[in-house]
Amino acid sequence: MTTATATATATVQTVATPDGPFTIVSDEDERVLASGWTSDVADLIVRAHASLRPAQLVTGTTGAADAVAAYYSGDVAAITAVPVRQHGTALQVQGWAALRRIEPGAPLSYTGFATLLGKPTAARVAASICARNAPALFVPCHRVLRNDGSLGGFAWGTPVKEALLERERA
């Protein structure tokens, strides 16, 4: 397990996107702790590991918002440069890093993702890694599909997942 310490103060910014309001929570070092298609910060904070949840939230601007704007303007690779901060087991950390290497427009199945992690029979573990991903979009868990090619679940709704994948195919 990785070592983590809570963030004293985090910045919250909500931006409008074609898929709805997108809120970012980032720490003092501009690392995204949690993000998603909601304007309800409480929905995001609970997704971050308890050890990383900030003691105080302030509304402000984040560098990550620029990457969101670039992504929605067609630069779908812009999100990969945004630093994130997560806490989990060694396999979860490995999985979140692997998600960032999945190319836009080339989604994997859960089995394909598990194979990427060196655990080809662990599709359920791969799905669990996706489900525990707090900085959505910046760690693109939406690029993992069910083994039959269908969308599967997504914390922010399958219509958002479908729109993201369509945008990345373009």
Side-chain angles (χ1 to χ4, degrees):
M1 202 178 270
T2 60
T3 307
T5 56
T7 298
T9 302
T11 301
V12 177
Q13 182 176 9
T14 301
V15 296
T17 75
D19 297 318
F22 184 81
T23 301
I24 302 160
V25 178
S26 62
D27 69 10
E28 299 95 337
D29 295 320
E30 291 275 331
R31 296 173 297 186
V32 176
L33 302 172
S35 55
W37 289 265
T38 182
S39 56
D40 186 345
V41 179
D43 284 350
L44 292 176
I45 295 301
V46 299
R47 295 191 57 77
H49 190 276
S51 67
L52 298 178
R53 292 182 190 148
Q56 180 180 7
L57 298 170
V58 295
T59 301
T61 58
T62 65
D66 294 336
V68 173
Y71 176 88
Y72 277 100
S73 292
D75 181 3
V76 295
I79 58 174
T80 58
V82 174
V84 298
R85 185 172 182 211
Q86 298 190 84
H87 177 72
T89 65
L91 184 57
Q92 287 171 329
V93 171
Q94 177 190 354
W96 295 323
L99 285 169
R100 297 192 90 182
R101 293 191 303 270
I102 299 172
E103 291 295 321
L108 296 177
S109 67
Y110 286 111
T111 299
F113 179 46
T115 300
L116 185 65
L117 297 176
K119 304 203 176 289
T121 61
R124 287 188 178 169
V125 171
S128 175
I129 289 168
C130 290
R132 287 180 172 74
N133 178 42
L137 187 61
F138 306 107
V139 177
C141 58
H142 64 272
R143 295 181 185 156
V144 182
L145 308 172
R146 286 187 176 157
N147 291 334
D148 66 3
S150 63
L151 293 177
F154 188 57
W156 308 107
T158 54
V160 172
K161 183 174 184 172
E162 185 173 33
L164 295 172
L165 292 169
E166 182 60 34
R167 187 170 284 105
E168 293 177 359
R169 275 193 289 270

